[in-house]
Amino acid sequence: MAETRIVIIGGSIAGLSAAEAARAQDPGCAITLLTEDPHLPYYRQRQCEVLEDRAAAQKLVIHPKEWYTIRGISLRLGQAVTGIDTQERAVALKDGSRLPYDRLVLATGSASVVPPIQGADLPGVETLWTMEDALRIESRLKDARRAIVIGGGLLGLEAAYAFHKRGIDNAILERLPRLMMRQLDERAAELFTRQVEKEGSEVTTGASVAEIYADRAGRAAGVRLADGSQHPADLVLISAGVRARTEILSGSGVAFDRFIQVDQRMRTNVPDVYAAGDCASLDGRWYGLWMVARGQGEAAGHNAAGGQRAYAAKTPPYMVNTMGTHIASAGLTQQEGMTSDEIARAYADVMENSEMFQYAKKLYLNEHLAGFILLGDTRAFSSLNKELAIGGTA
Ligand SMILES: Cc1cc2nc3c(=O)[nH]c(=O)nc-3n(C[C@H](O)[C@H](O)[C@H](O)COP(=O)(O)OP(=O)(O)OC[C@H]3O[C@@H](n4cnc5c(N)ncnc54)[C@H](O)[C@@H]3O)c2cc1C
């Protein structure tokens, strides 16, 4: 019998995990891993290390080239896919060639969103998603004196911290009323913001960006807010979220809205086409997290190679180490997002050391732990997460 041809589009953690799982499930199948990125798959979530030190790019490579050769995984770097033909079962590559498949895994991930801000296309305005982005931004840092980060999510915070470590003054402009709104309650966000400011970043919340203005040479020179205030900068990083890469799916018959819809076995609506990671949503849920992309990629690859694995969709805990502190949060942590019945039954156990910017909150529904926030000291994470898992609310 002819070997099964598995083609995977996307060479980051979802695609790589799919390739590894497919090989484990079927030692005889042919696996091709296509990625438009010219770099060997790397730990994308650690890219801010490259902003601190260019040499870190080497350390972020997940596996050397031989790893793929030994496993019979044909890794094709710098290969952009332009479309897929699910009738003929082939993918079209930018160089004009076509590659036939028996099973296809879509692991095309995310790209940075650039909101429609006037001046967002000026030279000196950056986004950060790929290694090329990180290397390009790093090469500009030696001449930069002040940076503005638009967006105070995790990526924006990590970038601002890297700028600070490089000795570059920086400010974070966050549209929402507080930092890390989904993960931290009001008090924890207040303490965390003080920690961020202690680490050298100015923070403006509720910031509505009106425009990125230019200098006489036509380069970005700063950000003006709707309240008229101006924030000068010679580097502006937009970190305003991501969108799923679905552009190759037009006309393919694969169902997608903002994301590709998959079931628990990571199957799309088209037979033998799977999707995993940041490009996919399962039961309407999307996380944008490394570990989720890895787990979904494993399930997709296993199933593409003939297995029957379901991905257990469970909201993962949130863990962050940045700005000289640690944050862990999981489950229900604040009234926002709770039903009125839950609010009535909720009880919070809070401990705080404001001088150390430390905060621990355990939220109970009846007698059961429903969620927690740990800021500063996260040593209780494992036991609380275990308690939460037993309670079944995570
Ligand atoms: C700076 C930074 C910090 C982060 N920090 C964290 C963190 O602390 N914790 C966390 O959980 N997550 C973090 N993330 C998010 C995490 O990296 C993503 O959730 C994860 O990378 C998603 O993996 P993926 O494989 O689904 O997609 P991606 O990593 O986006 O990879 C998609 C791949 O598909 C390829 N591709 C796309 N379209 C095509 C095409 N048409 N043809 C060929 N190839 C294509 C791309 O080149 C790429 O190789 C961070 C991300 C960044 C950028």
Side-chain angles (χ1 to χ4, degrees), residues 9-15 34-37 44-45 47-48 79-81 107-110 128-129 154-155 158 245 247-248 276-279 288-291 293:
I9 308 174
S12 182
I13 189 62
L34 298 167
T35 176
E36 67 183 10
D37 202 307
R44 190 184 303 289
Q45 85 280 35
Q47 269 180 156
C48 287
Q79 295 279 340
V81 172
T108 49
S110 292
L128 173 59
W129 190 258
L154 173 58
L155 203 157
E158 286 187 341
R245 301 269 319 257
E247 63 272 15
I248 59 170
D278 272 19
C279 67
L289 293 174
W290 183 266
M291 293 306 284

Side-chain angles (χ1 to χ4, degrees), residues 352-363:
E352 171 180 325
N353 180 339
S354 53
E355 275 168 33
M356 303 284 287
F357 309 122
Q358 288 180 352
Y359 182 84
K361 173 179 180 180
K362 292 181 260 177
L363 199 137

Side-chain angles (χ1 to χ4, degrees), residues 48 151-159 180 239 289 318-322:
C48 287
L154 173 58
L155 203 157
L157 287 163
E158 286 187 341
M180 302 190 67
S239 175
L289 293 174
Y318 197 87
M319 297 200 63
V320 182
N321 299 322
T322 190

Side-chain angles (χ1 to χ4, degrees), residues 41-62:
Y42 49 88
Y43 292 105
R44 190 184 303 289
Q45 85 280 35
R46 289 174 49 198
Q47 269 180 156
C48 287
E49 293 176 30
V50 175
L51 304 185
E52 285 177 47
D53 173 13
R54 196 173 183 82
Q58 284 311 313
K59 286 191 286 179
L60 300 193
V61 172
I62 300 176

Side-chain angles (χ1 to χ4, degrees), residues 165-183:
K165 287 193 191 160
R166 289 286 299 260
I168 298 162
D169 270 2
N170 66 85
I172 298 167
L173 305 176
E174 168 56 49
R175 185 175 53 87
L176 296 172
R178 57 178 200 258
L179 293 178
M180 302 190 67
M181 199 135 165
R182 269 192 303 152
Q183 294 81 25

Side-chain angles (χ1 to χ4, degrees), residues 239-250:
S239 175
V242 293
R243 63 168 178 85
R245 301 269 319 257
T246 52
E247 63 272 15
I248 59 170
L249 298 180
S250 304

